[in-house]
Amino acid sequence: MTLPGWIQVAVFFLVILALTKPLGIYLARVFGGEPTPLSRVLGPVERAFYRLAGIDPRREQGWLTYAAAVLLFNGLGVLLLYALQRLQGALPFNPENMPGVAPDSAFNTAVSFVTNTNWQGYAGESTMSYLTQMAGMTVQNFLSAATGLAVALALIRGFTRRSADTVGNFWVDVVRATLYVL
């Protein structure tokens, strides 16, 4: 490796090291439900979402309920993304009049985006309409990452709360991950 390459690695390492503590404190505050600099703006959005969805943010879930919520959320994500791809020919924001995606490709793409592997067996702009890319793929890029953060939080809580019966609330974790982190 060249000297500029080593300098770039060193600078990158130092930046990551410098951000570790402030970012860790911020994440702890977000997922602990404490106020953050973004709370004034995003707090009302978060509370409105909970009201609309019927979520009690103070009510925690056991691991089995949390896992069921993760599976339900991701299962619905696969179904919606699959349907969006299959029906894109009849949906708006399709100026190129692209037909629906083939069933096998739509299923593969839906599962890969919901599981955050984002494996693509197609050429994006020549297969997917604008709506499919915006409301499907882009949304799943955020929601799948938020789900991963939520599952990591539940795992950490499970290790640190040895005698507790709860691991948090999936719906609260995924909303906070999406709003405050991603």
Side-chain angles (χ1 to χ4, degrees):
M1 188 182 291
T2 64
L3 180 62
W6 282 109
I7 292 171
Q8 183 178 10
V9 168
V11 168
F12 183 73
F13 178 75
L14 291 173
V15 168
I16 295 294
L17 191 62
L19 291 175
T20 300
K21 189 168 183 170
L23 185 58
I25 291 168
Y26 175 75
L27 291 174
R29 292 180 68 101
V30 165
F31 293 110
E34 299 175 27
T36 67
L38 296 175
S39 294
R40 293 185 77 143
V41 175
L42 297 177
V45 175
E46 179 184 6
R47 289 187 297 277
F49 181 80
Y50 295 149
R51 271 193 306 278
L52 287 171
I55 297 168
D56 180 1
R58 298 172 308 247
R59 186 168 180 228
E60 292 203 354
Q61 302 166 321
W63 74 268
L64 194 56
T65 306
Y66 199 101
V70 171
L71 292 173
L72 174 69
F73 186 67
N74 285 332
L76 289 174
V78 168
L79 290 175
L80 290 172
L81 187 51
Y82 178 82
L84 188 62
Q85 292 176 80
R86 295 288 293 139
L87 299 171
Q88 78 177 359
L91 296 173
F93 301 113
N94 188 1
E96 288 84 17
N97 294 316
M98 293 183 190
V101 179
D104 56 339
S105 183
F107 179 75
N108 179 59
T109 302
V111 169
S112 73
F113 270 78
V114 169
T115 59
N116 203 13
T117 52
N118 297 357
W119 188 80
Q120 298 175 19
Y122 60 88
E125 284 75 25
S126 66
T127 306
M128 303 291 173
S129 70
Y130 294 148
L131 180 66
T132 302
Q133 290 181 63
M134 290 184 308
M137 311 311 188
T138 303
V139 167
Q140 279 305 322
N141 279 332
F142 284 90
L143 294 180
S144 63
T147 301
L149 279 171
V151 169
L153 286 166
L155 182 66
I156 291 167
R157 290 179 188 131
F159 286 138
T160 60
R161 300 177 181 179
R162 295 174 195 210
S163 62
D165 294 329
T166 60
V167 291
N169 184 319
F170 170 73
W171 306 110
V172 171
D173 291 343
V174 81
V175 166
R176 288 182 180 160
T178 304
L179 286 177
Y180 293 94
V181 179
L182 301 172

